[in-house]
């Protein structure tokens, strides 16, 4: 243990000067306002350099971790200095909620729309006019984008990531394109994994439950000659819904390595492999084609892998060089439909079905089939002095995709270049200016510039006010530009569309953050107006489908997140969002004519209460509410009714000196109020899971 502390101290020495400056600031603040928050900030700033026994903080001493984030502007900030509203969901909250999927975690942030397309396909979005492929939200793992160029979305089950791998999630509520680029058009989410330096030496878990779910996960952390490492692997299966048999199987392994070749250098390497299968399909009667009560689902095999390298080098007391490079690769193999499938669900005529397959040997029912890769490299310099802190860099991204059914022209590719800067300027003792700028250009043909300006005013030591403005653009994806089509007799032809323009959003916001020192919590409020124009939508005219810049809507509203810990044994989380979504009527031809109505839920709410009845007994309850909504891809313009859901989790633990065993039971939708989630035929009913965790240090 002493050797580990020494190595951690050496590794953290690269940030010594920065911590000293932060500590001086906290000490100065502490002398003016003797708050627990200021004292803890000072102690935590020094904690990596102290022996293990010098500082012992238990989770019960404060609600979660100190509010420090990096995903908003690449700079280390807290809610009082950040240019945007950000929710931090930590391990404690994830564990108490009983989240079973990555998207479940996002329901613990205000304004997020979380839904299931079927038993094993999830989606998540923020303030969007939604469909089954959300395409305006950047999802990252340790800063690595996992957005898919081939489908213009994220496939959550292919990321090589497990709930138990996550340390915390930073959720930026509002456009973050000025920092993270085009895909962060409406917001951004960064899943940050557990550090090999702080995780348990060994951890094993197993889950059994509804839908014949079975999963097992094993992780190990340690160090070897000054290098910290962590391995994690998981295997999971379930049978899916009893009506549709949309089963799922997945196996993955990932690893992270951290080492310091010199006192000024820190290098980390992440890599992983994920493979398995799931079922895809539309759980509604598409144009009255399906036989009564039946739906066509296709099995989709997948395999993915990634590599992610980060290097930080301290140049002097004020400057740090950052280099990052990563590569993602995904292969999707949708099963071919049989002649019987095509006849039963599509053509109604066997002769036509035979002819269709003869002329289109690569035909797939849902066309989610192909290969895609992404390679990204970034070089940046971070500069910090007494009055300013900036992060400036350049980057290049190469995307490639091929699909015999989506992109018949063969492999398509794109080279994107970017220049960016984020700056935090301490203009006055109580005033901070945040500015961000990102310029992207693609293949020397199309470009997009996104900017953000924020003014933070420290009204009181515990209260800050933020005014924000952003103007952002989103470049069309590979699929949107190349996935247009014409259906000829017995053939489908894909073609390119060079006339697409970037999507645009202009947003204004007022943010208020107040620290509740006595209750060890906080209140975060965001009032916003978002104007979206030139949104890319699919227009169908006869047998021709084409992406066009025809979408337009405005979002107005407010949202709040409240965290409270009234005692050492009880803590509470509350989220609420009011969204007035005003859609100007637009015509997508036969793909849909959408009237001037609300196409996003007006009210969403989630709350989480946790009670540590005894040191070895924990009870938590999570409540979700979503207003009725008319999803853009719900077809026949049928509303999804509002729903309420209550999840309850009870955990009992047994502890020894170096290990812990925990047995927990989770009941999702405890009152069994079965509700529709996205598609009309997909119902979420009561589900029960039992989990066993074993940890050893």
């Amino acid at each position: 243990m002493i050797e580990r502390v020494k190595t951690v101290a050496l590794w953290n020495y690269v940030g010594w000067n920065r911590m000293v400056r932060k500590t001086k600031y906290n000490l100065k603040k502490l002398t003016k306002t003797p708050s627990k928050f200021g004292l803890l900030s000072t102690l935590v700033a020094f904690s990596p350099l102290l022996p293990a026994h010098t500082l012992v903080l238990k989770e019960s001493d404060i609600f979660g971790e100190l509010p420090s984030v990096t995903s908003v502007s690449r700079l280390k900030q807290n809610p009082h200095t950040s240019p945007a509203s950000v929710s931090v969901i930590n391990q404690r909250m994830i564990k108490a909620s009983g989240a079973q999927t990555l998207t479940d975690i996002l329901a613990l942030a205000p304004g997020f729309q979380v839904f299931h397309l079927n038993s094993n396909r999830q989606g998540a979005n923020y303030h969007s006019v939604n469909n089954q492929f959300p395409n305006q939200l950047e999802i990252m793992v340790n800063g690595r984008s996992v957005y898919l160029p081939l489908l213009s979305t994220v496939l959550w089950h292919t990321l090589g990531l497990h709930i138990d791998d996550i340390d915390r999630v930073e959720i930026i509520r509002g456009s973050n394109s000025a920092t993270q680029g085009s895909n962060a058009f409406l917001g951004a989410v960064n899943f940050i994994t557990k550090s090999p330096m702080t995780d348990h030496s060994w951890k094993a878990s197993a889950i059994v439950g509804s839908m014949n779910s079975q999963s097992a996960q094993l992780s190990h952390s340690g160090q070897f000659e000054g290098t910290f490492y962590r391995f994690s692997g998981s295997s999971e299966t379930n049978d899916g819904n009893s009506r549709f048999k949309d089963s799922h199987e997945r196996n993955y392994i990932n690893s992270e390595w951290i080492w310091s070749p010199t006192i000024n250098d820190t290098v980390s390497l992440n890599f992983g492999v994920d493979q398995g299968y799931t079922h895809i399909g539309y759980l509604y009667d598409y144009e009255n084609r399906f036989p009564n009560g039946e739906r066509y689902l296709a099995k989709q095999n997948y395999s993915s892998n990634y590599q992610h390298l980060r290097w930080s080098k301290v140049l002097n007391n004020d400057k740090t060089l950052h280099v990052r490079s990563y590569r993602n690769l995904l292969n999707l193999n949708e099963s071919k439909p049989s002649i019987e499938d095509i006849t039963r669900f599509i053509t109604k005529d066997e002769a036509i079905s035979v002819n269709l397959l003869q002329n289109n040997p690569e035909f797939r029912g849902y066309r989610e089939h192909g290969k895609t890769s992404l390679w990204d490299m970034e070089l940046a310099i971070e500069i910090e002095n007494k009055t300013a802190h900036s992060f400036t860099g350049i980057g290049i991204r190469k995307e490639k995709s091929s699909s015999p059914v989506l992109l018949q022209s063969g492999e398509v590719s794109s080279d994107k270049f970017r220049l960016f800067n984020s700056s935090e300027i301490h203009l006055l003792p109580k005033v901070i200016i945040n500015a961000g700028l990102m310029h992207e250009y693609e293949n020397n043909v199309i470009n997009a510039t996104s900017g953000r300006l924020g003014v933070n005013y420290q009204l009181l030591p515990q209260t800050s006010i933020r005014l924000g403005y952003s103007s952002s653009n989103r470049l069309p994806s590979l699929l949107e530009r190349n996935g247009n089509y014409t259906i000829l007799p017995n053939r489908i032809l894909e073609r390119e569309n060079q006339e697409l323009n970037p999507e645009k959003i202009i947003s204004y916001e007022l943010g208020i953050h107040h620290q509740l020192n006595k209750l060890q919590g906080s209140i975060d409020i965001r009032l916003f107006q978002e104007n979206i124009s030139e949104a890319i939508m699919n227009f169908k005219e006869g047998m021709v489908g084409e992406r066009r810049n025809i979408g337009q809507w405005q979002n107005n509203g407010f949202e709040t997140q409240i965290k409270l810990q009234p005692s050492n044994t009880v803590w509470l989380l509350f989220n609420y969002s009011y969204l007035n979504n005003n859609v100007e009527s637009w015509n997508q031809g036969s793909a849909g004519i959408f009237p001037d109505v609300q196409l996003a839920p007006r009210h969403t709410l989630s709350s989480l209460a946790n009670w540590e009845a005894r040191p070895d007994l924990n009870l938590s309850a999570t409540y979700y509410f979503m207003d009725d909504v008319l999803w853009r891809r719900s077809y026949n313009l049928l509303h999804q009714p509002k729903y309420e859901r209550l999840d309850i989790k009870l955990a009992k633990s047994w502890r020894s000196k170096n290990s812990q065993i925990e047995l927990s039971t989770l009941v999702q939708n405890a009152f069994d109020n079965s509700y529709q989630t996205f598609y009309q035929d997909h119902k979420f009913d009561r589900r029960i899971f039992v989990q066993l965790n074993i940890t050893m240090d």
Side-chain angles (χ1 to χ4, degrees):
M1 182 65 186
I2 294 177
E3 287 301 317
R4 168 172 278 214
V5 171
K6 287 180 179 179
T7 310
V8 172
L10 178 63
W11 187 83
N12 278 277
Y13 182 78
V14 297
W16 167 251
N17 288 285
R18 186 170 302 152
M19 285 192 289
V20 169
R21 284 194 293 272
K22 296 291 184 184
T23 303
K24 288 180 178 178
Y25 169 78
N26 285 324
L27 287 172
K28 183 178 180 181
K29 181 177 177 181
L30 183 62
T31 58
K32 293 181 178 180
T33 306
S35 65
K36 183 181 291 186
F37 177 75
L39 176 59
L40 284 172
S41 299
T42 303
L43 293 174
V44 171
F46 274 116
S47 64
L49 302 174
L50 298 177
H53 63 271
T54 304
L55 175 65
V56 179
L57 287 178
K58 294 183 292 185
E59 284 188 310
S60 59
D61 295 328
I62 192 170
F63 188 91
E65 58 190 14
L66 294 176
S68 177
V69 296
T70 58
S71 303
V72 182
S73 61
R74 312 284 190 99
L75 308 173
K76 189 174 182 179
Q77 296 175 309
N78 61 50
H80 293 304
T81 60
S82 167
S85 291
V86 57
S87 296
V88 178
I89 311 299
N90 60 23
Q91 290 182 50
R92 193 179 185 196
M93 297 157 67
I94 296 171
K95 183 178 178 180
S97 72
Q100 297 296 297
T101 67
L102 299 178
T103 56
D104 287 344
I105 301 172
L106 303 186
L108 300 177
F112 268 75
Q113 307 155 10
V114 176
F115 51 90
H116 289 250
L117 302 173
N118 59 34
S119 299
N120 294 292
R121 283 285 296 270
Q122 303 88 34
N125 220 332
Y126 178 76
H127 290 187
S128 181
V129 176
N130 223 348
N131 64 20
Q132 74 267 36
F133 298 110
N135 63 347
Q136 296 167 330
L137 183 67
E138 177 68 289
I139 307 297
M140 299 170 286
V141 178
N142 296 321
R144 173 180 60 90
S145 174
V146 293
Y147 187 93
L148 290 177
L150 179 64
L151 298 179
S152 301
T153 192
V154 173
L155 293 185
W156 294 91
H157 58 283
T158 68
L159 304 185
L161 187 66
H162 190 274
I163 291 285
D164 285 342
D165 295 325
I166 299 170
D167 178 69
R168 68 186 187 279
V169 186
E170 297 180 0
I171 303 172
I172 296 90
R173 310 196 315 270
S175 180
N176 202 38
S177 296
T179 299
Q180 306 295 352
S182 285
N183 298 337
F185 186 72
L186 290 176
V189 178
N190 191 14
F191 291 89
I192 300 172
T193 57
K194 294 176 180 177
S195 170
M197 298 186 295
T198 58
D199 196 23
H200 296 285
S201 177
W202 288 95
K203 182 174 182 180
S205 66
I207 301 176
V208 296
S210 298
M211 301 188 298
N212 194 26
S213 298
Q214 302 176 55
S215 70
Q217 197 255 359
L218 178 67
S219 65
H220 171 59
S221 297
Q223 63 170 313
F224 176 74
E225 295 185 354
T227 299
F228 292 92
Y229 63 87
R230 182 179 187 271
F231 286 98
S232 174
S234 179
S235 177
E236 57 188 53
T237 64
N238 68 59
D239 294 341
N241 182 282
S242 59
R243 175 182 173 187
F244 300 113
K245 308 298 182 183
D246 48 350
S247 60
H248 168 74
E249 181 179 300
R250 178 187 181 217
N251 299 281
Y252 91 89
I253 186 170
N254 67 41
S255 182
E256 179 174 7
W257 298 72
I258 298 177
W259 70 96
S260 296
T262 73
I263 198 170
N264 291 325
D265 295 89
T266 303
V267 180
S268 66
L269 174 64
N270 298 77
F271 58 86
V273 177
D274 195 337
Q275 61 182 18
Y277 74 84
T278 189
H279 280 82
I280 59 177
Y282 302 155
L283 297 185
Y284 60 87
D285 194 356
Y286 179 60
E287 298 180 358
N288 298 315
R289 292 183 181 180
F290 295 168
N292 184 38
E294 294 185 70
R295 301 293 178 261
Y296 173 61
L297 297 182
K299 183 178 180 181
Q300 183 189 64
N301 293 287
Y302 75 90
S303 62
S304 67
N305 65 77
Y306 69 88
Q307 303 82 39
H308 187 190
L309 176 67
R310 289 166 288 171
W311 170 40
S312 293
K313 182 178 182 64
V314 176
L315 302 177
N316 55 41
N317 290 341
D318 299 326
K319 298 181 181 65
T320 304
L321 179 70
H322 299 280
V323 179
R324 183 182 67 185
S325 179
Y326 62 85
R327 173 183 173 271
N328 302 331
L329 181 64
L330 175 66
N331 185 5
L332 299 174
N333 185 5
E334 178 186 341
S335 61
K336 289 184 178 182
S338 65
I339 293 177
E340 181 182 1
D341 289 334
I342 296 175
T343 303
R344 189 171 184 79
F345 295 105
I346 300 177
T347 67
K348 310 298 184 184
D349 187 302
E350 184 173 345
I352 296 176
S353 301
V354 172
N355 199 14
L356 176 64
L357 279 184
Q358 287 177 345
N359 287 277
N360 298 272
E362 293 296 334
F363 179 80
R364 301 295 195 281
Y366 293 107
R367 305 198 302 163
E368 295 182 41
H369 179 81
K371 298 180 181 179
T372 186
S373 66
L374 184 152
W375 174 81
D376 191 286
M377 184 171 184
E378 185 176 277
L379 175 67
I381 187 166
E382 183 178 1
I383 302 175
E384 183 177 13
N385 54 45
K386 294 181 180 179
T387 59
H389 190 184
S390 67
F391 197 98
T392 306
I394 59 175
I396 179 173
R397 176 171 296 182
K398 291 181 175 291
E399 301 174 346
K400 293 182 180 180
S401 293
S402 62
S403 170
V405 287
L406 281 172
L407 306 165
Q408 293 180 357
S409 57
E411 184 179 83
V412 298
S413 62
S414 169
D415 293 339
K416 296 180 180 178
F417 302 88
R418 62 186 180 273
L419 304 170
F420 59 91
N421 170 269
S422 294
S423 296
E424 176 188 287
I425 304 170
H426 295 257
L427 191 64
L428 297 171
K430 293 186 177 182
V431 178
I432 294 175
I433 304 293
N434 278 284
L437 187 67
M438 170 81 72
H439 179 72
E440 303 170 276
Y441 59 102
E442 180 180 0
N443 295 341
N444 297 319
V445 173
I446 187 171
N447 63 79
T449 301
S450 301
R452 174 171 59 197
L453 182 65
V455 180
N456 297 62
Y457 176 66
Q458 196 74 31
L459 181 65
L460 298 169
Q462 299 86 14
T463 307
S464 63
I465 299 175
R466 181 187 68 255
L467 293 174
Y469 166 82
S470 68
S471 175
S472 301
N473 292 272
R474 174 182 172 269
L475 293 171
S477 70
L478 276 181
L479 176 65
E480 290 164 343
R481 185 170 297 284
N482 297 278
N484 306 279
Y485 62 88
T486 300
I487 301 178
L488 301 175
N490 302 321
R491 289 200 65 189
I492 302 175
L493 298 179
E494 302 294 331
R495 54 191 173 80
E496 188 180 10
N497 181 2
Q498 288 287 355
E499 297 179 0
L500 278 181
N501 297 315
E503 297 180 328
K504 302 180 184 300
I505 179 173
I506 295 177
S507 61
Y508 308 86
E509 70 174 64
L510 169 65
I512 302 172
H513 187 85
H514 178 69
Q515 204 75 22
L516 300 168
N517 293 332
K518 292 184 179 180
L519 292 175
Q520 298 187 46
S522 63
I523 299 176
D524 180 271
I525 299 173
R526 179 180 185 245
L527 289 82
F528 56 86
Q529 181 183 88
E530 301 165 336
N531 300 290
I532 295 93
S533 60
E534 300 286 307
I536 298 171
M537 303 293 172
N538 187 33
F539 184 89
K540 290 182 67 178
E541 190 172 24
M543 305 304 287
V544 177
E546 182 180 66
R547 267 78 173 188
R548 297 182 181 179
N549 296 102
I550 53 179
Q552 185 168 331
W553 66 90
Q554 183 182 88
N555 294 325
N556 300 283
F558 72 91
E559 55 197 25
T560 184
Q561 182 170 80
I562 302 174
K563 300 178 180 180
L564 300 173
Q565 185 170 332
S567 72
N568 288 334
T569 59
V570 175
W571 57 265
L572 309 167
L573 173 70
F574 176 83
N575 303 291
Y576 171 74
S577 174
Y578 170 80
L579 177 64
N580 180 26
N581 170 249
N582 181 19
V583 175
E584 297 188 13
S585 180
W586 76 70
N587 185 347
Q588 292 183 231
S590 59
I593 300 175
F594 299 94
D596 188 8
V597 296
Q598 177 108 3
L599 291 181
R602 192 178 298 274
H603 304 280
T604 55
L605 183 151
S606 65
S607 61
L608 172 59
N610 187 84
W611 175 40
E612 188 179 299
R614 300 197 314 248
D616 61 347
L617 189 64
N618 192 277
L619 176 66
S620 60
T622 312
Y623 172 79
Y624 305 96
F625 170 85
M626 190 172 78
D627 208 358
D628 67 310
V629 62
L630 181 63
W631 295 125
R632 182 165 60 89
R633 288 299 300 270
S634 59
Y635 288 92
N636 300 321
L637 299 182
L638 296 178
H639 275 80
Q640 174 179 311
K642 65 181 179 182
Y643 70 80
E644 299 177 82
R645 169 178 147 191
L646 178 67
D647 295 357
I648 299 174
K649 181 179 179 181
L650 178 65
K652 175 71 170 70
S653 61
W654 296 266
R655 296 181 176 89
S656 65
K657 183 177 180 181
N658 296 315
S659 64
Q660 175 177 307
I661 299 175
E662 181 184 85
L663 182 65
S664 62
T665 300
L666 170 68
V667 182
Q668 293 183 325
N669 197 11
F671 295 134
D672 199 20
N673 296 320
S674 179
Y675 63 89
Q676 174 188 334
T677 168
F678 200 82
Y679 287 136
Q680 297 157 20
D681 289 340
H682 183 236
K683 304 293 184 180
F684 196 102
D685 52 10
R686 179 189 291 151
R687 299 176 183 180
I688 300 174
F689 301 93
V690 177
Q691 181 170 1
L692 176 66
N693 292 323
I694 302 174
T695 58
M696 293 182 290
D697 290 318

